[in-house]
Amino acid sequence: MPDLRTVFRWIALLAASAFLAAALNLARFPAALLLGPMLVAIVFGIRGAGLALPRPLFLAAQAVIGCLVAHSITPEITRTIVDDAALICAAVCVTVLAGAILGIILTRLQILPGSTAAWGSAPGGAAAMVAMSEAYGSDPRLVAFMQYVRVAAVVLTASVVARFFVDGSALPAVAAAEPAPALSVLATLGIAALGAGLAMLLHIPAAALVGPMLLGAVLHTTGIASVSVPGALLDAAYAGIGWYVGLRFNRETLRAVWHALPGILVATVAIIVLCGSWAWGLTFLLPIDFLTAFLATSPGGLDSVAIIAVGSKADVSFVLGVQTLRLFTVLLTGPILARWIARAAPGPGA
């Protein structure tokens, strides 16, 4: 059983998260229920609270978000990918290339080892990148820190950008306030469990999110089942993902990466600016708004970007089409890029 101090810390985390989320919601920030808990958890983690969200709860939160996304997906997502395939592939390639270039720079400057810099700079799902980096011999602590620093920065930046493109009626908390039929909720929970389970058995990347998203989208758009996520469950999923990301920041990790921290921060800002510039360029090539382009090219986690996209005026189909394609591209090309970037390391006499 957890000791009393741990219980009190969780209560304090919950209370502070609820307060900040409410304040951000009043300020009309999209994804306030993700952003508030994440920022509070970062403070708790760095101050040595010693808390960590169990991974099964994080996977459950991802499955709920997958069902939320499935509810928003229409057949247009397929048509969008087919109709704009060339530009979508270009958007994916630009982001992946930007991550590779930053990895090479970090390696050449000897800020990080080559393979660690490659996986840490890769703009894919943070959890998937950490898992694959460990399998390929990289330092998972450094990769996790780089990935979650970028996720936190992307969520914060995207929320600020979305704040100026969204009205108060589009916030997630408002959208989730409608009562959901009990049968529909049970069907949704079944889709979440079955989709995540099948995706894990098939070793699909980001299985807990992608499985329910794909299965739910098929069943929902064909009318076989109705996907409906109750507000309380959605709020808990938002907070769970925010806590999981935020609590990954702790004193031990900071000490381990202290020498690399300035380079990591500069690299994080650089890739966000590069992707933001490409997003601005896409608005001249496609009939999409800047928010949609920014979220589609954002080098953050698929789950967090999906939350912001669903809770704002963005074109969810386009955003998820680009993000999903990029995730699979990074997973397929990651080992090759890691070896390529590792070769960029200067020799002993350099």
Side-chain angles (χ1 to χ4, degrees):
M1 290 183 62
D3 59 54
L4 203 56
R5 286 180 299 179
T6 301
V7 172
F8 280 130
R9 286 170 184 167
W10 276 111
I11 293 173
L13 177 66
L14 177 62
S17 298
F19 176 80
L20 185 55
L24 291 172
N25 199 33
L26 286 174
R28 298 183 179 180
F29 272 85
L33 292 167
L34 166 72
L35 187 59
M38 184 189 72
L39 293 175
V40 170
I42 288 174
V43 174
F44 271 63
I46 292 176
R47 290 182 62 86
L51 302 177
L53 189 76
R55 184 163 176 77
L57 293 182
F58 172 62
L59 297 178
Q62 283 194 316
V64 171
I65 299 304
C67 290
L68 172 68
V69 171
H71 180 77
S72 303
I73 290 179
T74 68
E76 292 179 358
I77 188 170
T78 304
R79 289 197 295 270
T80 298
I81 294 175
V82 172
D83 293 343
D84 302 316
L87 284 172
I88 287 178
C89 288
V92 169
C93 290
V94 166
T95 311
V96 173
L97 184 60
I101 291 172
L102 287 173
I104 290 174
I105 293 172
L106 291 172
T107 302
R108 292 296 300 174
L109 295 177
Q110 301 185 46
I111 294 173
L112 291 171
S115 60
T116 299
W119 290 111
S121 301
M129 294 301 99
V130 174
M132 289 192 70
S133 71
E134 194 166 7
Y136 283 90
S138 299
D139 187 337
R141 296 176 307 165
L142 291 173
V143 173
F145 187 78
M146 285 186 69
Q147 287 286 340
Y148 285 108
V149 162
R150 191 173 67 240
V151 169
V154 166
V155 170
L156 182 59
T157 305
S159 296
V160 171
V161 171
R163 168 65 179 82
F164 299 101
F165 287 86
V166 68
D167 59 34
S169 63
L171 293 173
V174 177
E178 298 178 5
L183 190 59
S184 179
V185 173
L186 289 175
T188 301
L189 294 175
I191 290 170
L194 181 60
L198 287 175
M200 288 177 182
L201 285 175
L202 295 172
H203 301 289
I204 293 175
L209 175 73
V210 174
M213 183 179 77
L214 296 179
L215 179 61
V218 171
L219 296 179
H220 186 71
T221 55
T222 56
I224 296 176
S226 175
V227 176
S228 182
V229 183
L233 183 61
L234 188 57
D235 293 349
Y238 285 162
I241 291 175
W243 286 335
Y244 185 83
V245 171
L247 291 173
R248 303 280 293 200
F249 296 82
N250 54 54
R251 292 178 179 176
E252 290 73 19
T253 308
L254 277 178
R255 280 195 291 267
V257 302
W258 185 253
H259 69 286
L261 185 58
I264 290 173
L265 293 177
V266 170
T268 298
V269 173
I271 196 169
I272 291 174
V273 171
L274 284 171
C275 293
S277 301
W278 176 230
W280 180 73
L282 279 179
T283 61
F284 295 95
L285 301 174
L286 290 173
I288 57 175
D289 58 275
F290 178 69
L291 176 60
T292 296
F294 186 83
L295 292 175
T297 58
S298 288
L302 178 60
D303 46 10
S304 54
V305 171
I307 290 171
I308 298 172
V310 171
S312 65
K313 289 182 175 179
D315 183 339
V316 177
S317 295
F318 185 83
V319 172
L320 294 179
V322 176
Q323 288 280 345
T324 303
L325 180 60
R326 192 181 70 208
L327 172 61
F328 282 92
T329 301
V330 170
L331 289 170
L332 289 173
T333 62
I336 299 171
L337 288 175
R339 286 193 295 270
W340 177 51
I341 293 172
R343 293 194 191 104

